[in-house]
Amino acid sequence: MEENKTNVLEKADSLTLAKAVASVLIEKKAIDVRVYNAGEGNSVTDYYVNATGRSSTNVMALADEVVYQVGLLGREPDHTEGRDGRAWVLVDYTDVVLNVFDKQSREFYNFDRLLPEESLVDISHIIAEVDAKFDINKN
């Protein structure tokens, strides 16, 4: 029996959700997408996904696109914050927290420095998949 594709993330583990969020961001040309494993001792979340938008409008569009695409796959965020300011939008799925910043806010808050480099999740395969999907030089 074929799995219902509209609910593939409904009961997915946190890493699968974090990678799905990263994939949407990469596909929509977000800058410097990073996925961090928050660690077992973190009581806030399992994974953080950080990305930069090219403008305040792009920050909103990236956050909205993640909510839309992930929603189509069966997961809705618990809440979002920062929609009014447009410099930093947080989308909270409980087990995955997405932060989309504009360039100035990402540099100012430097949230990435709080997360150790060794907690970075390798998403190079996602980047390669998205690149292959949109490769206009394919035969």
Side-chain angles (χ1 to χ4, degrees), residues 37-136:
N37 183 336
E40 290 183 31
N42 189 313
S43 62
V44 177
T45 191
D46 296 337
Y47 290 90
Y48 289 100
V49 180
N50 295 342
T52 303
R54 299 176 192 283
S55 66
S56 60
T57 304
N58 188 231
V59 167
M60 293 300 300
L62 290 168
D64 288 346
E65 188 65 17
V66 167
V67 170
Y68 175 72
Q69 292 293 334
V70 171
L72 289 176
L73 298 174
R75 286 290 293 268
E76 297 295 329
D78 293 322
H79 71 279
T80 60
E81 297 178 20
R83 294 186 58 82
D84 295 336
R86 298 183 177 199
W88 174 9
V89 176
L90 180 144
V91 180
D92 186 353
Y93 289 96
T94 303
D95 50 345
V96 174
V97 173
L98 166 63
N99 295 290
V100 184
F101 302 92
D102 66 12
K103 186 177 180 194
Q104 286 179 313
S105 296
R106 184 137 185 206
E107 289 171 359
F108 178 79
Y109 292 108
N110 198 8
F111 189 69
D112 295 278
R113 77 169 156 48
L114 301 174
L115 302 161
E117 196 74 22
E118 60 270 9
S119 69
L120 270 172
V121 174
D122 180 12
I123 58 170
S124 59
H125 64 287
I126 297 171
I127 295 167
E129 288 172 12
V130 171
D131 285 349
K133 182 177 176 181
F134 293 103
D135 184 5
I136 60 173

